[in-house]
């Protein structure tokens, strides 16, 4: 068996997603990890992160792995070393697995070559491409709530164009039989979303969906590109989940958000911790799901 990587939604089908959810649930209930130690991990975050970085590191430590510190600013990347050479270097030193977040879409394609098969790569987010660990923790959170994916109506709202969360989640949820709908600024509902689901005005969407998935607005983009000439307040009133709109949701429907949340932009501040919100449970599930993903990645027969 070749070395395992965890890179994108492409490699996840229903059977595999249920296997990982079951394992993450087992970790949540205290199961012991099954990996052969020692194993060494390095977390290469070239973009800022709180949740993904810390929960991968927590997951690595709970699995008994040794975490090798890596800081892009003090590494030789700052002297011009390429990502490919950095990963080859860590592999030569004996690191078994790297978790990488990078601003370049599909950065992992140039790393996943036949010559570079001694180190596992786990994608912690690539540009506006994929965010597979967020996708898996979102699936776990939805499964905990509804016990299924097929037939669920999922609304994805906000900065679709720039969102790797939207791309990963729509791909897997459609494959698993959910119906996807989109809302938010219509100019961000670009062509690549059309084949996954229709655009629906937010006021109508909130009444229909079982899962309302809000996306972080990249505040730096408001007023900075011609597609987003609105203030935070205007965004909230036009495309955000206000208390009034939340009141129209179905009784059993839930609110999700990958976070970080811009309070009073994507949703009103008091909805972040409301009964329907699964925002902090998503973060908790993320650590257990990352344990399951790392365990699977490392449990390759020929390592
Ligand atoms: N959801 C998410 O990826 O958060 P961070 O950017 O804090 O990792």
């Amino acid at each position: 068996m070749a070395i395992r990587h965890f890179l994108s939604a492409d490699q996840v089908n229903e059977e595999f997603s249920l296997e990982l959810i079951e394992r993450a649930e087992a970790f949540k209930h205290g199961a012991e990890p099954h990996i052969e130690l020692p194993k060494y991990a390095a977390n290469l975050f070239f973009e800022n992160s709180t949740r993904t970085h810390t929960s991968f590191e927590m997951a690595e430590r709970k699995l008994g792995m040794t975490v090798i510190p890596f800081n892009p600013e003090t590494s030789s990347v700052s002297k011009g070393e390429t990502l490919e050479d950095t990963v080859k270097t860590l592999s030569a030193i004996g690191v078994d697995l790297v978790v990488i977040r990078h601003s370049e879409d599909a950065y992992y394609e140039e790393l996943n070559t036949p010559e570079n098969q001694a180190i596992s790569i786990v994608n912690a987010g690539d540009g506006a491409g994929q965010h597979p660990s967020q996708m898996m923790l979102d699936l776990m959170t939805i499964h905990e709530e509804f016990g299924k994916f097929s037939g669920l109506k999922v609304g994805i709202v906000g900065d679709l164009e720039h969102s790797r969360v939207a791309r990963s989640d729509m791909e897997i949820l459609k494959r698993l039989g959910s119906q996807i709908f989109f809302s938010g600024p219509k100019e961000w509902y670009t062509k690549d979303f059309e084949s996954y689901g229709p655009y629906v005005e937010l006021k109508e969407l909130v009444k229909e969906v079982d899962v309302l998935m809000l996306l972080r607005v990249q505040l730096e983009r408001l007023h900075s590109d011609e597609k987003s000439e609105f203030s935070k307040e205007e965004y909230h009133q036009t495309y955000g989940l206000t208390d009034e709109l939340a009141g129209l949701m179905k009784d059993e429907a839930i609110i999700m958000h990958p976070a970080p949340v811009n309070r009073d932009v994507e949703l009103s501040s008091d909805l972040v911790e409301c009964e329907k919100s699964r925002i902090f449970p998503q973060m908790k599930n993320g650590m257990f799901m990352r344990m399951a993903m790392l365990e699977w990645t490392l449990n390759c027969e020929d390592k």
Side-chain angles (χ1 to χ4, degrees):
M1 191 194 291
I3 198 164
R4 285 174 170 171
H5 305 297
F6 210 121
L7 302 175
S8 72
D10 284 357
Q11 70 191 88
V12 181
N13 60 18
E14 182 163 16
E15 189 187 351
F16 183 37
S17 55
L18 292 175
E19 181 192 323
L20 284 177
I21 290 168
E22 195 179 314
R23 191 65 184 137
E25 289 286 356
F27 281 133
K28 200 170 174 178
H29 293 100
E32 290 297 317
H34 300 306
I35 59 171
E36 205 176 295
L37 297 172
K39 286 283 186 289
Y40 296 90
N43 300 312
L44 281 54
F45 278 68
F46 297 92
E47 277 189 343
N48 294 345
S49 166
T50 297
R51 273 144 294 275
T52 314
H53 194 164
T54 54
S55 64
F56 263 118
E57 185 159 339
M58 182 69 95
E60 288 154 4
R61 291 179 188 279
K62 286 196 175 233
L63 291 172
M65 300 175 75
T66 303
V67 182
I68 305 297
F70 180 90
N71 177 352
E73 283 168 22
T74 55
S75 76
S76 289
V77 171
S78 65
K79 299 184 222 167
E81 188 163 53
T82 63
L83 181 60
E84 195 175 356
D85 284 342
T86 302
V87 171
K88 275 189 193 163
T89 302
L90 293 171
S91 177
I93 288 167
V95 171
D96 298 286
L97 177 145
V98 281
V99 176
I100 305 178
R101 171 172 287 188
H102 202 280
S103 57
E104 196 181 306
D105 285 13
Y107 69 80
Y108 47 81
E109 281 173 3
E110 66 187 56
L111 306 178
N112 187 15
T113 60
E115 311 80 60
N116 196 16
Q117 291 293 327
I119 189 165
S120 289
I121 301 158
V122 177
N123 181 14
D126 60 287
Q130 292 279 305
H131 195 343
S133 63
Q134 181 70 45
M135 171 191 90
M136 288 309 309
L137 75 88
D138 288 345
L139 288 187
M140 179 180 176
T141 308
I142 293 170
H143 196 264
E144 259 180 0
E145 199 68 36
F146 299 100
K148 62 173 187 178
F149 302 105
S150 183
L152 290 180
K153 293 182 177 173
V154 179
I156 306 181
V157 180
D159 191 353
L160 300 165
E161 188 179 2
H162 307 106
S163 176
R164 52 194 172 213
V165 178
R167 285 189 172 75
S168 307
D169 283 25
M170 71 185 186
E171 195 178 325
I172 192 73
L173 284 165
K174 186 163 181 174
R175 192 172 306 143
L176 300 182
S178 301
Q179 265 181 285
I180 316 288
F181 304 90
F182 297 101
S183 198
K186 207 161 186 182
E187 53 273 36
W188 287 339
Y189 174 71
T190 49
K191 263 203 159 334
D192 35 332
F193 295 95
E194 285 171 10
S195 58
Y196 287 88
Y199 180 92
V200 180
E201 292 298 334
L202 189 57
K203 193 170 178 186
E204 298 311 311
L205 181 113
V206 293
K207 296 176 195 163
E208 294 298 323
V209 295
D210 303 295
V211 177
L212 184 64
M213 201 177 272
L214 305 170
L215 302 172
R216 182 175 80 90
V217 175
Q218 303 190 15
L219 292 178
E220 59 278 15
R221 294 188 199 281
L222 298 186
H223 280 303
S224 70
D225 72 39
E226 71 282 3
K227 280 190 173 184
S228 45
E229 288 179 347
F230 32 73
S231 67
K232 289 193 248 183
E233 293 71 27
E234 284 162 348
Y235 183 93
H236 182 59
Q237 288 308 323
T238 318
Y239 306 110
L241 187 68
T242 58
D243 293 306
E244 190 190 342
L245 285 186
L248 301 176
M249 291 175 70
K250 297 196 279 195
D251 288 345
E252 65 281 11
I254 60 170
I255 299 166
M256 295 174 66
H257 189 309
V261 171
N262 296 303
R263 288 175 182 260
D264 293 322
V265 181
E266 295 98 38
L267 71 170
S268 74
S269 184
D270 52 303
L271 293 175
V272 175
E273 288 94 357
C274 76
E275 212 179 308
K276 286 188 172 305
S277 170
R278 297 296 178 271
I279 296 173
F280 286 96
Q282 283 175 268
M283 295 178 209
K284 183 170 181 171
N285 284 343
M287 203 284 298
F288 298 111
M289 178 49 78
R290 289 178 175 114
M291 286 178 77
M293 290 171 65
L294 293 172
E295 186 189 58
W296 175 85
T297 306
L298 289 167
N299 276 338
C300 165
E301 283 160 15
D302 62 358
K303 283 192 83 170

